[in-house]
């Protein structure tokens, strides 16, 4: 695969990764701000990006920001928060049309970058406080987001599994923070936190666009010069692997139509490890795809589940199995899932399983890399670890995985927590 090479430079505490490209009809900016997941800051970080995108000095409301985006031929601006390993990420993304495809010759990309930088560096602030109307609106929205998880039982079960499995670990914290902490955040305390984050967070700005390298450096230095502080790109967390003495079983009861059986394992393998690709192929055969063991054996053959799948958390070293079942099928489903894990550890899968999974994995990878956001997210793995992997080598690494490699990686996997959200049993009339 052809190597697409990012050019890297820094402005204060901002690490810039720029890929000149004529492939796409849009230019993309994606900023990740990362800091350790901590109980004291998790709610601030869940609020902050949404407050920042709601008003700047020049565009003091969300409506005015939207109008500025419309003036840039419908540019888009999105913010989000997420967890990667034991980091809490605040993300800002903008896509702007490439003016070379338009009759209008205005420098759209530069204007887009100016707006993007102003959202980050020129928020609507008065007397050292974020705007109270914006704060009230975003605090209300965050409360609604947290409350909505309770109604989405798959997300709720995932949240509860993570809390139980990673109790006392940063990863156990909920990405949207704690509802009871929201009322304690005001415009002054959040602005104080914002100033700290701009100075102390690890900041990576990815740009994919149809611009020359020298011109891009000038633009970034012009609009992001407000970012001070020392470059901290080498600061990395050490994620401890917890040792399991005996697995936990948590059963909760609610008025639900469909039970949620979510199971958490420790893989003892992360992106940092040489066995990373073997784990990806393992997951593909075990539960990652529609041809996987969980889907075929739990859902199709035994008809025990409405869905059954697994996913890997690459930087924390977790494997999560998710299934939706009838509440009276708990024992049967757990038994079959355990059996599938033992089958993997025994190497009881075929060469066809192996080749099919590799083909699907590689296809999924190509599709992800075909979109700027996806390409950037894959590249960003390298900022979270000392292991730097070139994307052009990923296909080869997948192809190299053998049956023995998969068995070896499977043997390291330990059951940690079984979480079951079951429906309330109906009482029959006498």
């Amino acid at each position: 695969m052809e190597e697409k090479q990012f050019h890297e430079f820094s402005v204060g505490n901002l690490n810039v990764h720029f890929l000149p490209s004529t492939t796409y009809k849009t230019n993309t900016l994606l900023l990740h701000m990362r800091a350790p997941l901590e109980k004291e800051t998790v709610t601030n970080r869940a609020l902050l990006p949404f407050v920042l995108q709601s008003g700047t000095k020049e565009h003091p409301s969300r409506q005015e920001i939207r109008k500025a985006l419309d003036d840039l031929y419908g540019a888009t601006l999105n913010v989000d928060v997420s967890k990667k390993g034991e980091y809490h990420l605040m993300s800002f993304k903008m896509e702007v049309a490439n003016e070379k495809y338009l009759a209008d010759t205005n420098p759209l990309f530069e204007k887009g970058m100016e707006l993007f930088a102003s959202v980050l560096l020129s928020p609507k602030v008065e007397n050292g406080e974020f705007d109270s109307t914006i704060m009230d609106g975003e605090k209300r929205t965050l409360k609604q987001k947290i409350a909505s998880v309770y109604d989405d039982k798959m997300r709720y079960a995932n949240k509860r599994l993570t809390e139980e499995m990673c109790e006392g670990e940063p990863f156990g914290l909920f990405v949207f923070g704690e509802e009871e902490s929201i009322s304690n955040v005001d415009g002054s305390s959040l602005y104080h936190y914002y100033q700290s984050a701009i100075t102390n967070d690890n900041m990576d700005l990815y740009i994919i666009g149809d611009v020359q390298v020298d011109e891009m450096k000038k633009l970034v230095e012009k609009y992001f010069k407000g970012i001070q502080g020392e470059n901290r790109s080498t600061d990395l967390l050490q994620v401890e692997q917890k040792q399991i003495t005996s697995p936990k079983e948590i059963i909760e009861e609610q008025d639900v139509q469909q039970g949620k059986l979510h199971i958490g394992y420790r893989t003892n393998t992360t992106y940092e490890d040489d066995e990373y690709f073997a784990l990806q192929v393992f997951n593909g055969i075990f539960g990652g795809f529609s041809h996987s063991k969980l889907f075929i054996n739990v859902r199709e053959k035994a008809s025990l589940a409405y869905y059954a799948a697994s996913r890997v958390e690459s930087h924390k070293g977790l494997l999560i199995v998710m299934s939706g079942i009838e509440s009276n099928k708990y024992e049967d489903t757990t038994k079959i899932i355990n059996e599938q894990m033992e089958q993997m550890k025994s190497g009881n899968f075929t060469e066809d399983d192996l080749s099919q999974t590799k083909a699907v994995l590689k296809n999924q990878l190509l599709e992800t890399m075909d979109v700027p956001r996806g390409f950037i997210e894959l590249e960003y793995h390298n900022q979270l670890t000392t292991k730097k992997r070139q994307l052009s080598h990923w296909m080869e690494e997948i192809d190299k995985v053998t049956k023995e490699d998969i068995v070896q990686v499977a043997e390291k996997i330990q059951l940690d927590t079984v979480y079951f959200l079951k429906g309330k049993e109906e009482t029959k009339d006498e």
Side-chain angles (χ1 to χ4, degrees), residues 10-173:
S10 60
V11 176
N13 184 32
L14 180 69
N15 307 304
V16 185
H17 314 262
F18 171 53
L19 181 66
S21 174
T22 56
T23 307
Y24 310 106
K25 292 194 174 178
T26 58
N27 295 315
T28 300
L29 297 115
L30 176 59
L31 173 72
H32 284 315
M33 295 177 64
R34 80 176 185 275
L37 265 164
E38 292 173 342
K39 187 178 174 66
E40 297 75 28
T41 61
V42 67
T43 307
N44 281 328
R45 294 183 75 81
L47 262 175
L48 183 54
F50 296 93
V51 169
L52 291 175
Q53 75 156 357
S54 296
T56 69
K57 283 176 186 167
E58 192 178 341
H59 308 286
S61 69
R62 192 173 280 199
Q63 289 74 16
E64 290 187 58
I65 289 178
R66 197 172 296 127
K67 184 182 180 305
L69 292 166
D70 288 342
D71 290 343
L72 295 171
Y73 283 84
T76 59
L77 173 69
N78 305 102
V79 301
D80 200 6
V81 287
S82 58
K83 290 193 292 189
K84 283 205 186 296
E86 296 193 326
Y87 285 113
H88 198 187
L89 268 59
M90 301 187 290
S91 303
F92 303 76
K93 181 194 169 201
M94 178 181 269
E95 286 192 344
V96 189
N98 184 344
E99 58 256 35
K100 292 180 183 177
Y101 292 96
L102 302 170
D104 192 336
T105 55
N106 276 326
L108 286 186
F109 189 46
E110 180 171 356
K111 287 179 181 296
M113 184 180 284
E114 183 180 14
L115 178 60
F116 187 83
S118 73
V119 167
L120 186 70
L121 298 174
S122 302
K124 187 181 180 187
V125 175
E126 201 167 319
N127 301 322
E129 294 187 18
F130 283 118
D131 181 86
S132 59
T133 306
I134 289 173
M135 283 294 301
D136 290 346
E138 293 308 326
K139 284 166 72 171
R140 210 164 36 244
T141 301
L142 184 58
K143 283 181 182 176
Q144 288 164 357
K145 275 185 202 163
I146 293 172
S148 73
V149 174
Y150 184 82
D151 298 325
D152 181 340
K153 295 307 177 189
M154 188 194 290
R155 287 177 70 205
Y156 176 80
N158 239 21
K159 175 177 179 283
R160 288 290 300 118
L161 171 68
T162 306
E163 286 169 348
E164 292 290 345
M165 185 177 178
C166 300
E167 188 181 5
E169 298 171 76
F171 195 81
L173 293 167

Side-chain angles (χ1 to χ4, degrees), residues 203-255:
M203 300 172 70
D204 290 277
L205 174 62
Y206 287 84
I207 306 170
I208 297 181
D210 191 1
V211 183
Q212 296 302 310
V213 178
D214 289 345
E215 186 185 348
M216 181 55 65
K217 281 186 179 177
K218 284 177 189 168
L219 289 176
V220 174
E221 284 165 1
K222 179 179 178 182
Y223 293 111
F224 291 90
K225 62 179 182 291
I227 294 181
Q228 304 301 323
E230 201 175 316
N231 191 291
R232 307 173 67 249
S233 57
T234 55
D235 293 359
L236 289 169
L237 287 175
Q238 292 300 312
V239 178
E240 289 183 26
Q241 295 299 334
K242 184 175 167 187
Q243 293 308 305
I244 310 305
T245 47
S246 61
K248 286 198 277 191
E249 182 184 56
I250 311 291
I251 297 177
E252 292 182 0
E253 200 174 272
Q254 285 182 17
D255 190 8

Side-chain angles (χ1 to χ4, degrees), residues 201-430:
D201 272 24
N202 289 97
M203 300 172 70
D204 290 277
L205 174 62
Y206 287 84
I207 306 170
I208 297 181
D210 191 1
V211 183
Q212 296 302 310
V213 178
D214 289 345
E215 186 185 348
M216 181 55 65
K217 281 186 179 177
K218 284 177 189 168
L219 289 176
V220 174
E221 284 165 1
K222 179 179 178 182
Y223 293 111
F224 291 90
K225 62 179 182 291
I227 294 181
Q228 304 301 323
E230 201 175 316
N231 191 291
R232 307 173 67 249
S233 57
T234 55
D235 293 359
L236 289 169
L237 287 175
Q238 292 300 312
V239 178
E240 289 183 26
Q241 295 299 334
K242 184 175 167 187
Q243 293 308 305
I244 310 305
T245 47
S246 61
K248 286 198 277 191
E249 182 184 56
I250 311 291
I251 297 177
E252 292 182 0
E253 200 174 272
Q254 285 182 17
D255 190 8
V256 292
Q257 294 294 103
Q258 187 188 105
K260 303 295 177 191
L261 173 60
H262 287 209
I263 302 175
Y265 299 85
R266 303 276 172 168
T267 63
N268 298 297
T269 301
T270 67
Y271 185 85
E272 188 93 21
D273 299 308
D274 292 338
E275 302 92 340
Y276 172 72
F277 290 101
L279 180 64
Q280 294 298 318
V281 180
F282 161 89
N283 184 56
I285 298 173
F286 178 61
F289 301 119
S290 58
H291 67 270
S292 303
K293 283 183 172 289
L294 293 183
F295 189 89
I296 298 297
N297 292 289
V298 180
R299 185 180 184 275
E300 299 291 289
K301 288 186 181 175
S303 300
L304 285 172
Y306 301 96
Y307 62 88
S310 65
R311 64 178 177 81
V312 167
E313 209 300 328
S314 299
H315 293 280
K316 177 63 178 167
L318 307 181
L319 172 75
I320 308 294
V321 170
M322 301 157 287
S323 62
I325 64 173
E326 289 177 29
S327 290
N328 60 358
K329 303 284 175 64
Y330 170 66
E331 301 290 346
D332 292 342
T333 310
T334 308
K335 181 169 178 280
I336 293 185
I337 291 171
N338 289 337
E339 283 170 0
Q340 301 319 303
M341 179 60 81
E342 290 310 311
Q343 299 275 324
M344 293 299 297
K345 292 185 177 190
S346 304
N348 196 352
F349 51 90
T350 67
E351 285 301 324
D352 279 351
D353 293 332
L354 187 55
S355 58
Q356 187 180 2
T357 299
K358 286 181 178 181
V360 176
L361 258 179
K362 289 190 290 184
N363 189 53
Q364 190 182 63
L365 195 57
L366 286 171
E367 285 179 2
T368 304
M369 292 170 73
D370 205 34
V371 181
R373 172 76 192 244
F375 188 78
I376 290 167
E377 290 300 350
L378 290 173
E379 187 70 31
Y380 186 64
H381 281 298
N382 288 326
Q383 302 307 313
L384 303 171
T385 169
T386 57
K387 190 82 166 184
K388 309 301 179 195
R389 302 181 190 274
Q390 291 183 314
L391 293 185
S392 57
H393 296 169
W394 281 37
M395 299 291 187
E396 298 164 33
E397 294 293 337
I398 290 168
D399 275 331
K400 280 198 288 192
V401 173
T402 65
K403 190 170 188 172
E404 290 71 26
D405 294 334
I406 294 167
V407 170
Q408 208 171 343
V409 89
E411 284 174 344
K412 290 166 66 179
I413 295 172
Q414 297 173 287
L415 175 62
D416 184 306
T417 302
V418 177
Y419 172 83
F420 184 45
L421 178 64
K422 70 173 197 172
K424 291 180 179 173
E425 294 179 20
E426 294 179 11
T427 52
K428 294 180 181 175
D429 295 333
E430 293 294 327

